[in-house]
């Protein structure tokens, strides 16, 4: 009897251990780039493939490449505002389908590369619209703007390919500026809020509330999706953590650096509280600290420098574009990240060729493997 | 007798047939790129060569490459305003001669590539000047501005050559902006009209007149030469038709798309009536629909997309540049056309290498011939 | 006795001759690029190497590459204003040290290529600051701005390398604009003067004083270092003369052209008197007339054209950027110089590859030597 009980206990503990191991394995399977999913998806229906590549595109906005992260983020957006969630979904679908129709590279489409700009455009169009939620006419520019992103992404990729640079969110930044310029605050069909530059003077400024500023740091991560609520922002951060803990840490760190920068330049309090000061820093920090460069102490320091530079450039550009009522969106971070990718010197040694970029943790592991390939590739482009 | 009469009738009908055949042959000889003329011109005097290459340059403004079209267009300009015609002539001559003196490639000069930017600069300088016609001091900036276009054309060509992109009308767009910035509405020597952005609100707007809007469509073709009269605009359209009927159709189509775009964005009525809403659409449509891409249904659809994108971008840029009193001239169409040339995917398969671009009809015929060459060229640039 | 006296006289005269020959030899050793110094410096301490490369960087601002010229210029700056001199020194050191730490190419660092942008940034930050001299907080942005120049220089060099173009002073121009945009005239920590565009109307303009205008020509050379005093400006000109008399002549010539341009466009008198109208012309003229092109009559004419173009473009850009209170600094000259380097035609035949640029006099002498190398290099880049 005793022996049996012992074995039962052993069995139970073993079951528990194997259960937690299974959970861990499951989590590991769900984290990172989930490349195993691609093989599984190959013979599935078009709609299912579209869903997966759409979710990948949603995650791509925040530099992750994982359909589950995408799902979590989409849930966060619907939680924050169902209308914004709907616009985002439409944007991803419109641009992904445009990419399919115009015959873009199918591997790129499957990787979600043609969807994330469209999503950002539609989210920001919704955010800036002053016609209120559920203004159905907005779907027209959302659809057109998202579709046009594919053209810009394809053209800019051809252009930047000479330096092995990604088109990143340049298409989104261009289209949203063109849209806002086309319409204007008092447009009869598509009115939008005017943007106040962060450096604008506040006549009766109250004292700064430290807690609100700290609250702005996670909000900075949410602001990448134009989302200003704490709960959804934390869920988005969690989605990034699922893809790569390292990336999530850099997102928070970058947002903190951005907030610090805002404080040092005495921007409007509203800008600090809402997380708008932080999101360019977050993007600048994430790009360098793990994604396009193998993680190391050196890369980490450059990531912080990149966050500072992105945040200061964002204040500058916001002040400039604010004079004509435009937002600087993520111009600063995109330009700084592009600059960082062009850098020579010690940082360049850690650079990962665009085609081989995976989750930071995986990049770290397989560095020795691709290093040889990298040297070869470098030589071949230098010919 | 009867037999003789019959043969006479036959002869007469044959004569008539051969006459109409000859007319047709003559017309065919006069249409397209008229490359046979180049052989004929080789041993002619410098002045005659200058005239032909100047007329080619005039036609190049509207993407045609035919000296007879150039002559018709010049006649249209003199018809609309002798002063504008004179300025245009001077601009072409100044920039072509500068190209000869600074030692630019002689084939390029003979093809009129170094003249069309100078012509546009001088036409627009005249158009914006508020000093009235026959203000002779204006010849000074006209001469200098046209000459400077050669520098910009040569430099930008070197730059864009890496992607097999043309310098197009970038030089004109840059120089006219610099000139207008240098002077200003109240300049003591060279005053000019201030530009009103198309999105500016009209306090007491009247109802839109449909006929006027339709009249704006052919005017949009004339506005490429800053010409706002119906007669000359139709003559210009005819000149394009002589070069290539396909191009003329796309010009009208693009202008119509531009006008539609203007309506959808509720621009000022003046902008629709004068054809200013249409000309960027026309240029965007012509570039894709036949000139740089072999004509096909696919290309045709992309041409319409390009027209829409050009027209929307033009409204956006006009609103932006209007805040500092500048016109957007043809920035939108030029940028969109450049983007289209960079596009990957299904459109890229129809792309014609810049050096092999001929009249759309000829491109269509000789597609199979250059296709092999294209593939080879692609491979060589990919090395 | 007499014989002895004679020999003594002979000796004395010979001594004098050899003395003046030695002085001349010494001067010749001190002029030009002083490459012999590099060999001598190889085994010296880091501090001494830093001093020499810092002085080279100071001279690089005005396109010279000679530590003695750098020393003279630094003396001129301390003479004009000790505070500005201190800022300049700090800027050079900050950016040079950043370049060393971030692992930039050591030959580039030793040549002073990573210091001159930092120096310009710090000088201009001091010049625009409205907080007065000895405002120690300014050292913070001076340090950060100068350090960031290294990132921009490295990134832009990678980008422009495809066309064998130098990054020149693009980093300075970008950073100073970003800094001024970040802060603003009424910033609580870093307030700065607002910039008045040169085309702004003067309500009660007095008559132009010819002597003052002529005085503005040498001041235009000093304005390259944001220095508006006659004495120090002449010393700077002397420093350029020590490096290369040809370069000094072109500096004066360019400044005169710039002043003429300002007169022809009726800019504000203040702009002419202070030399601000001249310095872009000077830079544009120096770049073409000797530095990047072998000197010849043809190059000389292009240098004058480049000076005119730079000066006109500067007025245009100043008027544009003045609408948002920004200075055009040396954008015009930098862009025009870049354009000139891209030019095809007769000027391209005189172009010296960036890596082989030396003092104009030396370029002239060794033209035949590198010409062969140039052709080879061209071919290899064309592959």
């Amino acid at each position: 009897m005793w022996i049996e009980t012992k074995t039962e206990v052993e069995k139970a503990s073993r079951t528990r251990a194997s259960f937690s191991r299974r959970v861990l394995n499951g989590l590991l399977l769900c984290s990172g780039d989930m490349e195993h999913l691609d093989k599984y998806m190959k013979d599935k229906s078009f709609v299912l493939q579209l869903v997966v590549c759409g979710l990948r595109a949603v995650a791509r906005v925040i530099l992750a490449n994982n359909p589950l992260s995408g799902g979590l983020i989409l849930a966060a957006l619907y939680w924050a505002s169902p209308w914004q969630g709907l616009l985002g979904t439409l944007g991803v679908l419109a641009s992904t389908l445009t990419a399919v129709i115009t015959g873009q590279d199918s591997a790129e489409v499957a990787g979600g590369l043609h969807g994330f700009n469209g999503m950002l455009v539609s989210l920001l169009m919704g955010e800036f619209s002053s016609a209120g939620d559920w203004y159905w006419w907005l779907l027209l520019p959302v659809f057109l703007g998202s579709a046009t992103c594919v053209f810009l992404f394809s053209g800019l990729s051809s252009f930047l390919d000479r330096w092995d640079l990604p088109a990143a969110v340049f298409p989104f930044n261009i289209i949203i500026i063109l849209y806002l310029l086309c319409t204007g605050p008092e447009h009869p069909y598509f009115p939008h809020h005017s943007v106040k530059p962060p450096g604008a003077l506040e006549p009766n400024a109250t004292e700064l509330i430290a807690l609100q500023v700290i609250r702005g740091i996670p909000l900075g991560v949410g602001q990448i999706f134009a989302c200003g609520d704490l709960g959804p922002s934390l869920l988005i951060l969690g989605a990034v953590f699922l893809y790569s803990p390292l990336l999530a840490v850099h997102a928070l760190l970058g947002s903190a650096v951005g907030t610090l920068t805002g404080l040092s330049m005495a921007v409007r309090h509203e800008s600090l509280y809402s997380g708008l000061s932080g999101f360019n820093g977050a993007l600048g920090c994430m790009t360098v600290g793990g994604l396009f460069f193998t993680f190391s102490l050196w890369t980490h320091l450059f990531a912080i420098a990149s966050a500072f530079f992105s945040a200061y450039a964002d204040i500058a550009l916001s002040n400039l574009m604010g004079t004509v009522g435009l937002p600087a969106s993520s111009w600063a971070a995109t330009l700084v990240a592009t600059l960082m990718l062009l850098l020579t010197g010690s940082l360049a040694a850690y650079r990962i060729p665009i085609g081989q970029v995976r989750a930071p943790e995986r990049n770290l592991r397989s560095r020795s493997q691709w290093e040889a390939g990298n040297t070869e590739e470098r030589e071949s482009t230098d010919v």
Side-chain angles (χ1 to χ4, degrees), chain A:
Chain A
M1 283 285 286
W2 183 80
I3 292 170
E4 276 177 39
T5 323
K6 197 186 162 190
T7 35
E8 246 169 51
V9 171
E10 268 185 344
K11 238 186 215 168
S13 102
R14 232 181 289 156
T15 321
R16 244 175 296 148
S18 83
F19 175 75
S20 58
R21 208 178 309 131
R22 262 184 232 156
V23 167
L24 196 74
N25 276 338
L27 264 175
L28 276 177
L29 269 176
C30 294
S31 76
D33 297 290
M34 290 183 74
E35 285 175 319
H36 49 88
L37 195 72
D38 289 343
K39 273 181 208 161
Y40 175 78
M41 292 301 297
K42 254 182 187 164
D43 46 352
K44 291 292 172 297
S45 72
F46 175 72
V47 174
L48 206 66
Q49 286 189 349
L50 189 67
V51 167
V52 171
C53 93
L55 290 178
R56 274 193 195 278
V58 172
R60 284 262 187 197
V61 170
I62 198 159
L63 305 168
N65 181 11
N66 180 314
L68 288 180
S69 299
L72 282 177
I73 291 167
L74 208 59
L77 292 178
Y78 273 102
W79 176 14
S81 151
W83 171 240
Q84 284 289 89
L86 178 72
L87 288 182
T89 315
L90 238 154
V92 169
L93 290 179
S95 54
T96 305
L97 287 173
T98 309
V100 171
I101 292 167
T102 60
Q104 299 300 317
D105 184 61
S106 60
E108 282 186 1
V109 174
L113 278 173
H114 287 286
F116 66 95
N117 277 291
M119 176 170 201
L120 274 169
V121 164
S122 42
L123 283 177
L124 268 289
M125 279 183 179
E127 182 69 20
F128 283 113
S129 168
S130 60
D133 283 5
W134 311 108
Y135 176 68
W136 294 103
W137 282 109
L138 198 66
L139 297 191
L140 215 72
V142 156
F143 181 79
L144 279 178
S146 305
T148 317
C149 280
V150 174
F151 289 70
L152 276 166
F153 191 88
S154 170
L156 284 175
S157 294
S158 295
F159 188 86
L160 293 168
D161 191 46
R162 298 280 152 137
W163 297 271
D164 193 30
L165 291 172
V169 284
F170 280 120
F172 147 65
N173 282 308
I174 294 169
I175 293 290
I176 195 72
I177 290 301
L178 288 180
Y179 168 71
L180 292 177
L181 280 170
C182 253
T183 56
E186 299 178 43
H187 196 268
Y189 312 147
F190 308 110
H192 61 75
H193 303 293
S194 197
V195 176
K196 228 180 174 178
L201 288 178
E202 292 169 300
N204 37 1
T206 51
E207 215 161 298
L208 204 65
I209 306 156
L211 216 76
Q212 288 264 49
V213 174
I214 291 169
R215 191 172 162 272
I217 296 176
L219 283 182
V221 179
Q223 283 291 4
I224 296 174
F225 289 90
C227 163
D229 296 322
L230 191 59
S233 292
L234 289 174
L235 187 52
I236 290 171
L237 192 63
V240 179
F241 194 87
L242 175 68
Y243 172 64
S244 152
L246 210 55
L247 208 61
V249 169
H250 276 99
L252 261 189
L253 181 68
S255 187
V257 166
T259 306
L260 202 70
T261 307
L263 283 171
S264 83
M265 279 291 126
V267 301
R268 287 186 307 119
H269 295 175
E270 191 43 51
S271 201
L272 294 168
Y273 296 164
S274 64
L276 282 172
S277 289
F279 84 98
N280 267 285
L283 282 172
C285 197
M286 287 160 89
T287 329
V288 176
L291 201 68
F292 290 115
F293 298 91
T294 314
F295 184 73
S296 72
L297 179 66
W298 207 222
T299 322
H300 186 63
L301 293 176
F302 270 105
I304 294 171
S306 170
F308 269 110
F309 194 10
S310 299
Y312 278 117
D314 179 49
I315 298 175
L317 292 179
S318 296
N319 282 338
L320 176 65
M321 298 170 84
T323 58
V324 284
L326 291 175
S329 30
S330 56
W331 275 108
T334 318
L335 287 169
V336 170
T338 305
L339 182 78
M340 286 290 167
L341 289 170
L342 281 169
L343 230 56
T344 53
S346 34
L347 188 61
Y350 294 95
R351 166 119 191 241
I352 303 164
I354 293 299
Q356 283 158 279
V357 169
R358 295 287 173 280
E361 283 77 10
R362 205 142 148 231
N363 283 333
L364 204 54
R365 253 180 290 145
S366 58
R367 177 156 168 84
S368 54
Q369 291 164 26
W370 64 258
E371 222 160 10
N374 183 24
T375 340
E376 270 168 36
E377 210 242 17
R378 283 277 160 99
E379 274 163 9
S380 71
T381 54
D382 279 347
V383 169

